[in-house]
Amino acid sequence: MARIFAVANQKGGVGKTTTTVNLSAALAAHGQRVLLVDLDPQGNATMGSGVDKRSLATSVYHLLVGLNTLPEVRARSEAGGYDVLPSNRDLAGAEVEMVDLDNRENRLRDALHAVDDEYDFVLVDCPPSLSMLTLNGLCAAHGVIIPMQCEYYALEGLSDLVNTIKQVHAKLNRDLKIIGLLRVMFDPRSTLSQQVSAQLESHFGDKVFKAVIPRNVRLAEAPSHGLPGVVFDKAAKGSQAYLAFAAEMIERIQTI
């Protein structure tokens, strides 16, 4: 049975897409069967996986509004070694159209049931807001991976996100839990980064992943080549960190 994880944070620019793409490729490199679901209308995870969002005949939009089935929408990241439910600007219209649809919060969950035995991991890249799209990601997921920078404002937003997850758990998805917090764009030279990191470990304990993703130029360069960072430059520190994170995820799901 596929384990479904939403990569979510209501704050923008915290590395959600970078994490989703590189974790997908890193898990695939560890021999896992992976599906990446791009729920962001910007389509950055789609492009970062080497799938051209501008030439899509069908996208995750068509899946959510019931126009196409999952196998009809699915694309392949040849470089990354995983499958993708791609996204483009069409998805922005889904917000409005889904308001009148039956079971609107569970459209993604219901669609994923069809391929439950085809994957080990399904990773959902959520947009940076609590929208109908994010809600679909949270309702489909068994758990949430929260990427966050070690800075003051990130801590402020974290409490809001935790409250949102608690509400979804209580009202819509009893399976939902926080799998862990991933420290990203980490600068070990910064005293603030070290202080916030220590606060996270003190407050959340083993919910904080051991893997730490450093600030890394090669990870930032990779999307312009249509490649995950772990493929673009496997030897880079950021890539090695995501490969370590993937190994930690594989180990952690044994205890979930």
Side-chain angles (χ1 to χ4, degrees), residues 57-73 111:
T58 57
S59 69
V60 73
Y61 159 78
H62 297 86
L63 179 67
L64 292 176
V65 298
L67 295 174
N68 291 89
T69 64
L70 192 149
E72 292 169 340
V73 171

Side-chain angles (χ1 to χ4, degrees), residues 237-255:
K237 286 184 179 178
S239 301
Q240 290 296 308
Y242 273 116
L243 287 162
F245 176 42
E248 189 177 349
M249 275 296 298
I250 294 167
E251 187 179 332
R252 186 167 289 211
I253 64 163
Q254 310 302 325
T255 61

